[in-house]
């Protein structure tokens, strides 16, 4: 099973989701069954480490994002991943536009797995520290819901 988290720049929300989700997978004993990656819609930050504010907020919850490097969404991602999970509606619109016909992946909003239908993970880039805490709260909640969904799929297969 392969999961790709997608945001605009791949330096705030989606690397945070990657780090949190890896930790939750380990806690659930599923780390060996699920491959995790993240990417951005835009090219601006390719090759960069996550935003220092995102790293600091994640570190306060025991998660190290320091080794992650930003990359841009590619067409191959639609073949490779089982879940392509957008942080907001703009990201989702790009994914849906770029998704090739016949693509079997689940393409949707990440927070749907937190039971927050149609709600985005707000972009914290232009805001303060509190925005990064809110991002973490939402991502932790959705990660647990996604693990339940993956667990059901693995049981059914
Ligand atoms: P992200 O946040 O999409 O969560 O990584 C942003 C990062 C950079 C920019 C916007 C949002 N930017 O405009 O450069």
């Amino acid at each position: 099973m392969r999961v790709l988290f997608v945001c605009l720049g791949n330096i705030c929300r989606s690397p945070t989701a990657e780090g949190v989700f890896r930790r939750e997978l380990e806690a659930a004993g599923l780390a060996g069954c699920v491959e995790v990656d993240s990417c951005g819609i835009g090219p601006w930050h390719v090759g960069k480490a996550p935003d220092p504010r995102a790293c600091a907020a994640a570190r306060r919850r025991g998660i190290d994002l320091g080794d992650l490097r930003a990359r841009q969404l590619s067409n191959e991602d639609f073949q490779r991943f089982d879940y392509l999970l957008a942080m907001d509606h703009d990201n989702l619109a790009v994914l849906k536009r770029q998704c090739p016909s016949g693509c079997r992946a689940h393409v949707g909003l990440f927070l749907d797995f937190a039971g927050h239908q149609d709600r985005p993970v707000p972009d914290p880039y232009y805001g303060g520290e509190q925005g990064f805490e809110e991002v973490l709260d939402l991502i932790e909640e959705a990660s647990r819901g996604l693990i339940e969904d993956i667990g059901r799929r693995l049981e059914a297969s």
Side-chain angles (χ1 to χ4, degrees):
M1 203 66 84
R2 298 190 177 103
V3 177
L4 180 66
F5 296 107
V6 184
C7 65
L8 182 60
N10 195 206
I11 55 167
C12 296
R13 292 165 293 176
S14 62
T16 298
E18 182 178 343
V20 167
F21 190 60
R22 281 185 200 285
R23 183 193 62 183
E24 295 297 325
L25 281 173
E26 276 181 25
L30 289 173
C33 310
V34 185
E35 189 181 312
V36 189
D37 197 5
S38 65
C39 71
I41 297 293
W44 316 287
H45 301 284
V46 167
K48 288 193 201 159
D51 187 290
R53 297 165 297 170
C55 290
R59 205 176 306 117
R60 287 195 286 275
R61 299 192 192 197
I63 296 164
D64 182 5
L65 304 181
D67 289 339
L68 301 181
R69 294 296 177 267
R71 73 167 179 91
Q72 193 174 11
L73 177 71
S74 78
N75 284 332
E76 289 76 57
D77 289 327
F78 292 95
Q79 267 80 51
R80 176 162 183 74
F81 289 92
D82 301 289
Y83 293 82
L84 289 91
L85 298 175
M87 296 298 134
D88 65 34
H89 296 85
D90 290 341
N91 312 151
L92 183 60
V94 174
L95 288 180
K96 292 229 160 125
R97 209 163 50 232
Q98 234 171 287
C99 188
S101 61
C103 169
R104 294 169 50 101
H106 172 103
V107 178
L109 284 176
F110 183 32
L111 288 195
D112 286 355
F113 289 99
H116 297 301
Q117 294 304 317
D118 223 28
R119 187 172 162 196
V121 179
D123 185 349
Y125 188 67
Y126 294 105
E129 206 171 89
Q130 185 51 39
F132 287 85
E133 295 297 330
E134 186 189 358
V135 164
L136 275 161
D137 290 340
L138 291 167
I139 282 174
E140 284 180 344
E141 201 183 346
S143 292
R144 293 183 192 123
L146 177 58
I147 281 177
E148 283 172 21
D149 194 74
I150 288 175
R152 279 191 293 271
R153 275 219 217 180
L154 288 172
E155 268 173 32
S157 67

